[in-house]
Amino acid sequence: MLRGLSAAVLGGCVVLGLLLSSGCVPELSLLGLGGDSIVAGAQETAEPSTPASEPSLADATSPSSDGASTFTPASLPLSTSVSGTVSGTGSYQRFEFGPGAPGDTWRVTANTPPLSASFVVVLLDERDELLYRRVLGSQDTLEHILRYAAGRVSVGIMPLAGSSGGSFDLRISRVVGSVPPPRPERVYLNFAGGSGVRVQNRAALSFPAFDAASLGSAYVGLTDEIKRGIVATVRADYAPYDVIIMTSDEGPLPSGSVAVLHFGGNDPRLLGLAAGVDLYNSQPGGVAVIYTDSFAPFAAMRLEPAEFASMIGNTASHELGHLLGLFHTRQPDDVMDTTGSAWDLVGEQTLGTAPLEPTVFAVGSQNAPAILAAAVGLSPTFEPPGKSAPVAKGSQALDPRRKIIIDIASRCGTCLELEEGE
Ligand SMILES: [Zn+2]
């Protein structure tokens, strides 16, 4: 695998240029490179290059870099071409640039001839935390304005899930811009039923008001208790941010821009689905469904009402995360996780920093607090709660219900279905 990747990279090329106010500087030297992490940069004059730092991704596909780099100072225009090949699951290439300043506007487009396939293209910071992601075809442009400073900006490229990949030739540019302000969000949790609810390209969905009896006979009469738990879970997750959570029990759907989370209906494959991943909440509002009837099989876990509420509430927070720009992760105590067990989904999950799910990108992580703060802003009234009492270790392991394993066939289809539709 290592050899294959190295060969692919060595077959690629990096063409660098720097657009200055005085004009375009001719192509600068190609850096000595090895492996799949390519350090690229340019400066105004061909100064002797300095040793590159070791790639921060210490996985088997990142051999040590014997290359050298010089970086374009942040907030100067930059125009660069990169090309290469990525083929097969887990393969990727990453081109490293210098520091990024708030307001820097990065663009990635296909050079001619057209791309051989659609690719996943990401921007990562110096900690390999995701700044932006999109699926890029020949006619597409990735454009992102940095919301906060980055010690280093990387452009990563990998095949789209289900694609064999191929060769790419991309133009990467950076111009100076200004940071758009956060866009606060209002969210309406609809437990009152719905009709004609459409999410993505799915058939319109109609469903009655949420009734906990749909979860199983053990929950008859517990509707209000479970609803309160769901609302409390979502409110707790988003309390640090400028997100107002309203519910259908408190009043009708308000006018204006509102993100609506519907609770009802059934899907044979999914627990939840959001209209899309709206990076940095570029369009406040949106719609998502939490298919509450799909949770009925988990009644076999003999969940307490509060546990069922936590499970559904975590799923609601997850779908809301998509509407505010978050992607899937692979850490079971993270709200955006898709890899944990049903018991993980019952337990406490938080919006933290977690490794990316591999179809989002092969490496890197998502810092949900940083992204949400940039997307919607921080709550003007939030005060962090005091330290909670520690949970007795081993108490969960002693719970005989933990031996009841119910598989989650598919928790959320948001990202997958979006990319199927690309
Ligand atoms: Zn999801």
Side-chain angles (χ1 to χ4, degrees):
M1 185 175 178
L2 178 60
R3 289 182 185 278
L5 281 170
S6 296
V9 170
L10 293 171
C13 71
V14 184
V15 181
L16 303 170
L18 174 64
L19 295 173
L20 299 175
S21 57
S22 58
C24 181
V25 172
E27 180 179 320
L28 298 178
S29 61
L30 176 62
L31 305 170
L33 302 168
D36 66 344
S37 184
I38 296 180
V39 183
Q43 64 177 18
E44 297 180 36
T45 57
E47 300 264 332
S49 56
T50 55
S53 60
E54 190 77 7
S56 58
L57 301 170
D59 65 22
T61 63
S62 292
S64 62
S65 168
D66 58 358
S69 71
T70 53
F71 290 133
T72 305
S75 296
L76 281 182
L78 167 74
S79 184
T80 295
S81 286
V82 298
S83 62
T85 301
V86 284
S87 301
T89 302
S91 68
Y92 70 96
Q93 288 194 30
R94 195 176 54 152
F95 301 88
E96 298 181 359
F97 298 87
D104 283 358
T105 304
W106 288 81
R107 291 193 185 93
V108 182
T109 58
N111 272 326
T112 54
L115 292 172
S116 59
S118 290
F119 295 90
V120 173
V121 178
V122 296
L123 300 179
L124 303 170
D125 74 5
E126 76 279 10
R127 294 179 295 274
D128 295 314
E129 292 176 356
L130 185 69
L131 298 169
Y132 203 82
R133 176 192 189 270
R134 77 157 291 163
V135 174
L136 196 78
S138 293
Q139 306 300 317
D140 301 322
T141 298
L142 178 156
E143 180 171 309
H144 174 57
I145 303 172
L146 287 191
R147 293 334 199 249
Y148 43 87
R152 181 201 68 210
V153 175
S154 297
V155 176
I157 300 151
M158 76 169 196
L160 186 61
S163 161
S164 58
S167 60
F168 61 85
D169 184 355
L170 303 175
R171 172 142 296 272
I172 299 171
S173 64
R174 180 183 70 198
V175 297
V176 178
S178 58
V179 178
R183 300 176 178 88
E185 186 67 276
R186 296 188 302 163
V187 182
Y188 188 74
L189 307 184
N190 177 38
F191 296 101
S195 62
V197 174
R198 284 187 175 276
V199 181
Q200 297 193 23
N201 296 322
R202 298 191 149 229
L205 185 70
S206 297
F207 45 90
F210 172 70
D211 185 334
S214 66
L215 302 174
S217 58
Y219 305 97
V220 171
L222 298 174
T223 300
D224 287 344
E225 181 178 350
I226 289 178
K227 280 197 292 190
R228 281 196 299 273
I230 293 170
V231 174
T233 298
V234 179
R235 282 189 168 140
D237 285 335
Y238 289 91
Y241 309 104
D242 202 348
V243 175
I244 297 172
I245 311 283
M246 302 168 283
T247 84
S248 54
D249 289 336
E250 298 165 348
L253 181 67
S255 59
S257 170
V258 184
V260 181
L261 272 56
H262 296 283
F263 293 81
N266 178 66
D267 186 280
R269 290 177 52 217
L270 303 175
L271 298 181
L273 183 67
V277 180
D278 181 17
L279 288 120
Y280 296 93
N281 202 28
S282 66
Q283 295 178 305
V287 62
V289 176
I290 293 84
Y291 298 102
T292 46
D293 292 358
S294 297
F295 287 79
F298 302 115
M301 295 160 66
R302 306 203 298 268
L303 298 174
E304 296 291 334
E307 292 174 321
F308 235 139
S310 177
M311 189 180 208
I312 299 171
N314 283 334
T315 304
S317 286
H318 176 107
E319 300 306 334
L320 178 55
H322 286 314
L323 295 179
L324 301 178
L326 299 179
F327 288 96
H328 285 159
T329 61
R330 54 180 175 87
Q331 182 171 295
D333 65 356
D334 187 73
V335 164
M336 300 311 295
D337 173 70
T338 58
T339 64
S341 69
W343 282 109
D344 290 319
L345 193 55
V346 168
E348 183 173 355
Q349 294 182 314
T350 57
L351 288 160
T353 299
L356 294 171
E357 201 274 333
T359 61
V360 177
F361 199 68
V363 296
S365 58
Q366 176 171 259
N367 184 338
I371 289 178
L372 289 172
V376 298
L378 295 173
S379 165
T381 58
F382 175 70
E383 292 185 11
K387 196 171 182 179
S388 57
V391 177
K393 289 182 178 176
S395 61
Q396 292 185 350
L398 294 173
D399 185 344
R401 298 177 305 159
R402 297 267 163 178
K403 294 178 181 173
I404 304 171
I405 306 298
I406 307 292
D407 285 340
I408 304 178
S410 182
R411 167 174 162 168
C412 168
T414 301
C415 301
L416 184 62
E417 299 207 355
L418 277 179
E419 296 188 349
E420 286 173 345
E422 288 281 346

